[in-house]
Amino acid sequence: MTEFTKLGLSATTLKAVADTGYTEATPIQASAIPVALAGRDVLGIAQTGTGKTAAFTLPMIDRLGSGRARARMPRALVLAPTRELADQVAENFAKYAKGTKLSWALLIGGVSMGDQVALLNKGVDVLIATPGRLLDLFERGKILLTGVEMMVIDEADRMLDMGFIPDIERIFKLTPPRRQTLFFSATMPPEITRLTTQFLKDPTRIEASRPAMTADTITQYVVRIPSSDPKAKRTALRALVGREDVKNGIVFCNRKSEVDIVAKSLKTHGFDAAPIHGDLDQSLRMKTLADFRSGELKILVASDVAARGLDIPDVSHVFNYDVSHHADDYVHRIGRTGRAGKLGQAFMIVTPSDDKSLDKVLKLIKMDPQELTLEGIDFASIKDRPRTEDAKGRGRSRSDRPRPIPKSDNVASMEPIARAAPKAEEAASEEAPRRSRSRRSTRTEASEVATAAPTVAVEAAPATAEPQQPRREHARDAKKPEQRKEQPVQAARGGFGDDVPAFLRRPVIFSD
Ligand code: ADP
Ligand code: MG
């Protein structure tokens, strides 16, 4: 447990931190901030929802100090894999840098370039960007990266994944070698760690948790059903989403077409649900997310575009409609709940055809989620009518078609693919050409989606496991008692008093 005042931050930055209501630094903050302030490179790993954003933003603000912004020459660059995450990081930056003269610009695709260019011309200290739009603006001569003193790569393992690596390599080459570089993520597969060596100089590796360790605040359930039929899966999903304690939740699907179908199906059955994925218009993506954040929308049905980094403090549940093909994605998906010491629940629907993917997830997280049985559903009698064109592979959205699997597993040695493939930013999350995409696509007639569900009885929900450590509520909620009442999942189990929440306590492993 470390007070922020002991980390070497400036008085101005400490004041901004105090204004947010935080008193103790989380383990990743306590460990990474002094190292970053000393100008060293950092590879920081910590569970989802444990404050990695402040761990890089606060030292960045102090390192940039009182220097001056020059037109088109930013001094720091933060890269994130999705537009929504970049936007959120920018909001954090604005909050922490409010007492300084530092200026910033958010460069993301899907929105007009005009305002972004105007800001760049005026000169900004910090760019917070998705790689695609950053490179677009660079190619148009609107930015020079030769003045970059500090680079942050959030969700670093994702950014070094195949969809992004060519753009990331290119961006790094445009920055001066003497820059300071910080990488952060909750997951860091060994093959990606190897890639980090080409970007980091003698980094300090800081592990506030083992890579891919799921947050302690999330109670995880596996819900096995005997049928892989989409209609059976949707029936199971409704039984889960309809549980009494679901205040709000995110349903993750592997494919964008499935996101649309599931959202539509939930709506037809009276749930307040809306889809979000990379094929939707950016303004709609932003609006849907804002509605979900504000509590206006109860169920967000999402592709992996929403799996990384998004910090919506009060998400009570995450539902994996599909088992993620990439085990790391599971950790990020469920990490949308149980943030900043709050409690959350995560359910994963598992069908007989998911055994392989499930194995990978269980091996990665090194724990066994509780098994939950859905009673009273006659899965054998539930059948979806397949569309004829499915058999021929038609009727899929373009992005759902299987993509070529690269021959080599060595991501770094791949031919640049970003220019031939969609831009990396467009390739974000489900947009990225990943190694083992799902080759199946099952479409349903909208009319079938709308058919009435059999009545389902769900066995009494097992009590959420009590947290092993006393926890404290999130500071933001302390200011909103009326909201606290509505959050039995998180708050009722709190009673943290002066106790320190587990997410502030985890021991940290350093290695140089
Ligand atoms: P991560 O990037 O590790 O997933 P975030 O940076 O998004 O986590 O932070 C998760 C939540 O924790 C945010 O809502 C943030 O405001 C809150 N938070 C960050 N640092 C602290 C702290 N020291 N004390 C309490 N809450 C914090
Ligand atoms: Mg984060």
Side-chain angles (χ1 to χ4, degrees), residues 52-53 85 154-155 309 339:
K52 292 185 285 295
T53 319
L85 180 55
D154 198 11
E155 306 295 342
R339 299 182 69 73

Side-chain angles (χ1 to χ4, degrees), residues 4 22-26 29 46-54 88 92 95-96 309 311 313 336 339-340 474 476 503-504:
F4 272 105
Y22 313 154
T23 45
E24 319 295 346
T26 65
Q29 291 164 354
Q47 289 158 300
T48 52
T50 59
K52 292 185 285 295
T53 319
Q88 181 182 295
N92 273 260
K95 183 170 70 178
Y96 298 130
D311 181 52
R336 295 320 98 212
R339 299 182 69 73
H474 183 253
R476 207 182 285 173
F503 89 115
L504 294 175

Side-chain angles (χ1 to χ4, degrees), residues 421-440:
K423 271 216 177 303
E425 179 207 341
E426 297 307 325
S429 290
E430 86 275 24
E431 296 103 337
R434 303 189 92 168
R435 262 161 291 190
S436 53
R437 294 221 140 255
S438 163
R439 298 185 154 259
R440 278 182 47 243

Side-chain angles (χ1 to χ4, degrees), residues 222-224 243 370-376 379 457-460 462:
V222 160
V223 184
R224 287 182 196 274
R243 287 160 72 95
Q370 301 179 35
E371 298 257 349
L372 176 78
T373 316
L374 295 176
E375 305 282 354
F379 284 106
V458 183
E459 71 170 15

